[in-house]
Amino acid sequence: LAEYFAERARGGVGLMVTGGIAPNRAGWTAPFAGKLTTRREIARHRLITDAVHAEDGKICMQILHAGRYGYHPLIVAPSPIKSPISPFNPRKLSASGVEKQIRSFVRCASLAREAGYDGVELMGDLRRYQPAEVNAILSEHGLEVLSLTPEDVDLAHPDANLRAEALDYYLGLLDFAVAVGAPLVCCHGAVGRVRALAPYEEEYRHLLAGVQIIAGRAFDLNINLAMEVLNRYESHLLNT
């Protein structure tokens, strides 16, 4: 895995993000999946970060708590409702249980810094947060936002209304980036849609038209716009 990331750094990739790393066992995607919960695990992560830095690359670690979507019997969630893709019923978290999960995220981020990662990626819907709230948390912990990545909106969908909603979301994301001091916003195709609903060329034109509008607005706001290339099993547009 270290060589996999190092090879891409040698090829000129500016910033890479790992796959999901759990902050505790309850957050595993599956038994014995990647996690970072103790200092004993730092050495294994160092193999990756050292290899990337040796090639002058940068790498962030994605902290991912699978919640009810985990494929193991230790899963927890805000409710006991089972995920449609997991055979296991999650244990409902109490208020103190939620706080425990939050502390696991904090510890995982701290360990990621010791392991040599250049940053961490957190997942969440930014529409649920206010910039002032985010800025207060950043200030309290001495953190900065490197970039913002969008939710699964679809700039290439053949439905014009869905494309308009996606464009509005991106323009709002740019405003959010300004408010929290993020210098970079990522853009990508719809995650989870691996087949075209209309001719490929037509969907590509829709994506390009949307990105051009977003790029113009980003330029006006002095924000960098990056195209995120997804895996083939994640998206049918701009993939590996």
Side-chain angles (χ1 to χ4, degrees), residues 83-104:
S83 159
I85 63 172
S86 174
F88 301 99
N89 290 306
R91 176 174 59 83
K92 180 181 178 179
L93 289 168
S94 63
S96 62
V98 171
E99 292 296 327
K100 181 178 180 180
Q101 302 305 311
I102 293 173
R103 289 194 297 272
S104 292

Side-chain angles (χ1 to χ4, degrees), residues 112-186:
R113 174 182 289 178
E114 293 185 44
Y117 288 102
D118 298 291
V120 295
E121 180 185 53
L122 301 177
M123 301 181 66
D125 187 350
L126 293 179
R127 289 169 291 192
R128 298 177 54 192
Y129 303 98
Q130 296 298 319
E133 178 185 7
V134 174
N135 285 330
I137 295 172
L138 295 172
S139 177
E140 179 183 356
H141 296 284
L143 300 173
E144 296 179 359
V145 178
L146 174 66
S147 67
L148 297 179
T149 301
E151 276 287 293
D152 298 339
V153 295
D154 196 343
L155 290 167
H157 201 282
D159 187 321
N161 291 326
L162 291 179
R163 293 199 306 274
E165 290 178 6
L167 182 58
D168 286 344
Y169 172 84
Y170 269 104
L171 297 179
L173 191 64
L174 291 173
D175 290 335
F176 195 101
V178 171
V180 300
L184 177 72
V185 167
C186 295

Side-chain angles (χ1 to χ4, degrees), residues 15-236:
L15 174 67
M16 292 168 284
V17 181
T18 69
I21 303 296
N24 54 31
R25 284 189 177 87
W28 267 341
T29 53
F32 307 107
K35 70 180 181 72
L36 182 54
T37 59
T38 70
R39 283 192 167 84
R40 291 192 300 273
E41 295 165 323
I42 287 177
R44 285 180 289 173
H45 287 265
R46 269 284 180 188
L47 294 174
I48 295 172
T49 58
D50 286 348
V52 170
H53 293 153
E55 302 295 340
D56 294 325
K58 291 186 180 297
I59 185 166
C60 292
M61 190 186 83
Q62 182 192 89
I63 304 178
L64 174 63
H65 192 298
R68 69 178 184 142
Y69 295 98
Y71 206 82
H72 58 88
L74 302 178
I75 56 176
V76 296
S79 80
I81 299 174
K82 188 172 78 69
S83 159
I85 63 172
S86 174
F88 301 99
N89 290 306
R91 176 174 59 83
K92 180 181 178 179
L93 289 168
S94 63
S96 62
V98 171
E99 292 296 327
K100 181 178 180 180
Q101 302 305 311
I102 293 173
R103 289 194 297 272
S104 292
F105 270 84
V106 173
R107 177 167 176 76
C108 187
S110 176
L111 292 172
R113 174 182 289 178
E114 293 185 44
Y117 288 102
D118 298 291
V120 295
E121 180 185 53
L122 301 177
M123 301 181 66
D125 187 350
L126 293 179
R127 289 169 291 192
R128 298 177 54 192
Y129 303 98
Q130 296 298 319
E133 178 185 7
V134 174
N135 285 330
I137 295 172
L138 295 172
S139 177
E140 179 183 356
H141 296 284
L143 300 173
E144 296 179 359
V145 178
L146 174 66
S147 67
L148 297 179
T149 301
E151 276 287 293
D152 298 339
V153 295
D154 196 343
L155 290 167
H157 201 282
D159 187 321
N161 291 326
L162 291 179
R163 293 199 306 274
E165 290 178 6
L167 182 58
D168 286 344
Y169 172 84
Y170 269 104
L171 297 179
L173 191 64
L174 291 173
D175 290 335
F176 195 101
V178 171
V180 300
L184 177 72
V185 167
C186 295
C187 185
H188 56 61
V191 178
R193 189 154 77 82
V194 296
R195 291 182 178 83
L197 301 175
Y200 180 90
E201 294 76 12
E202 176 185 331
E203 292 201 354
Y204 188 83
R205 286 196 300 271
H206 290 324
L207 177 65
L208 182 60
V211 170
Q212 287 175 332
I213 295 173
I214 297 165
R217 177 64 173 159
F219 180 82
D220 292 339
L221 296 174
N222 197 31
I223 293 176
N224 293 311
L225 185 69
M227 296 304 299
E228 181 178 3
V229 180
L230 302 173
N231 288 306
R232 292 184 297 276
Y233 58 81
E234 291 181 299
S235 178
H236 71 297

